Amino acid sequence: MSNLLQFTGGIKSIQRGAITIAASSPQQTATISAVTLAKAELRFLGCSNSAGEAGAIARIGLTNATTITATRGNLGGETITSWELTEYY
Amino acid sequence: MHYYVQLLGDICVAVTQTSGPLVGPEFIELTDFDPSLCGQRHVGGGVFEPVPVVLPRHISRGAFYDRFGPAKWDILADQTPSVVAVVADASVRTYIDLDNPQLPAGLAIIAAAGHDIDADEIIGAPVRPEERP
């Protein structure tokens, strides 16, 4: 059964995390276990800001095989972004 | 599964559940996935403490004009070149920084033009949520 999953794109791993962008900072990265970019799916799970500034939400991206980057334009307050990454076979 | 805090300096900037181990001086391994550690300071031995978030004292342009109180309309209508310059300077900014060292001088110009304003209150009053840009 496990061999069948490998050939049909079953889930290889799931990683999740939260990234904090400090007040006045535009960006922060998080290091992850290496994934194959073409077989990985990153999901945005939500965002909060300590100053209640709706404009200070962040976007996230899988920058490379071991890095997720959270970036924002509005630099007010501290922004925390949650994410989940699935890698398939 | 492995769980890590990622530090930048001594501040937790990320908490991650990973499929494999991470190696590096910036990682502290946890026993559980605990995103509440985000933003906290590592004081040693895997112990974290909250760090107060100091927000910049920024207000919107409109909130700044509102701080003039009843004198607002006369100030905005004043065609004295120096007052016009102060208003124009404020109007082109994305927000007003109450800690800008130039701000007291600008308010002094408005007061010198005869307007009844409380510069200390305008600069020193706490920033209310509705005033934020």
Side-chain angles (χ1 to χ4, degrees), chain B residues 9-33:
Chain B
D10 59 357
I11 301 297
C12 170
V13 293
V15 175
T16 309
Q17 171 186 309
T18 64
S19 55
L22 300 179
V23 178
E26 71 271 35
F27 299 114
I28 296 176
E29 188 156 12
L30 305 172
T31 56
D32 297 293
F33 178 61

Side-chain angles (χ1 to χ4, degrees), chain A residues 12 15 23 26 29 39 42-43 45-46 51 53 57 59 63-64 71 88-89:
Chain A
K12 182 180 181 182
Q15 302 183 64
T29 61
K39 297 182 179 181
L42 180 64
R43 286 178 295 280
L45 300 183
E53 297 198 28
I57 58 173
R59 64 181 185 278
T63 309
N64 55 49
T71 306
Y88 299 89
Y89 282 106

Side-chain angles (χ1 to χ4, degrees), chain B residues 5 15 20 22 74 77 98 106 109 118 121:
Chain B
V5 155
V15 175
L22 300 179
D74 289 338
L98 295 175
I109 289 173
D118 185 342
E121 179 65 16

Side-chain angles (χ1 to χ4, degrees), chain B residues 59-103:
Chain B
I59 60 175
S60 65
R61 296 186 300 272
F64 176 64
Y65 296 144
D66 288 341
R67 288 194 171 204
F68 293 156
K72 177 176 74 171
W73 304 114
D74 289 338
I75 293 169
L76 295 179
D78 193 330
Q79 295 302 301
T80 305
S82 58
V83 175
V84 170
V86 172
V87 172
D89 181 77
S91 68
V92 298
R93 296 182 181 272
T94 305
Y95 54 81
I96 304 301
D97 180 1
L98 295 175
D99 293 319
N100 186 328
Q102 297 180 351
L103 186 56

Side-chain angles (χ1 to χ4, degrees), chain A:
Chain A
M1 184 60 70
S2 62
N3 287 339
L4 178 62
L5 286 174
Q6 288 182 32
F7 289 120
T8 58
I11 293 175
K12 182 180 181 182
S13 71
I14 297 177
Q15 302 183 64
R16 52 180 63 87
I19 300 173
T20 300
I21 305 177
S24 303
S25 179
Q27 193 174 79
Q28 182 57 52
T29 61
T31 302
I32 58 172
S33 300
V35 297
T36 301
L37 294 179
K39 297 182 179 181
E41 180 181 82
L42 180 64
R43 286 178 295 280
F44 172 81
L45 300 183
C47 198
S48 62
N49 180 269
S50 63
E53 297 198 28
I57 58 173
R59 64 181 185 278
I60 53 172
L62 194 52
T63 309
N64 55 49
T66 58
T67 305
I68 292 173
T69 302
T71 306
R72 63 177 182 174
N74 184 322
L75 306 187
E78 179 182 87
T79 293
I80 299 178
T81 307
S82 290
W83 55 268
E84 188 172 82
L85 177 69
T86 302
E87 186 185 21
Y88 299 89
Y89 282 106

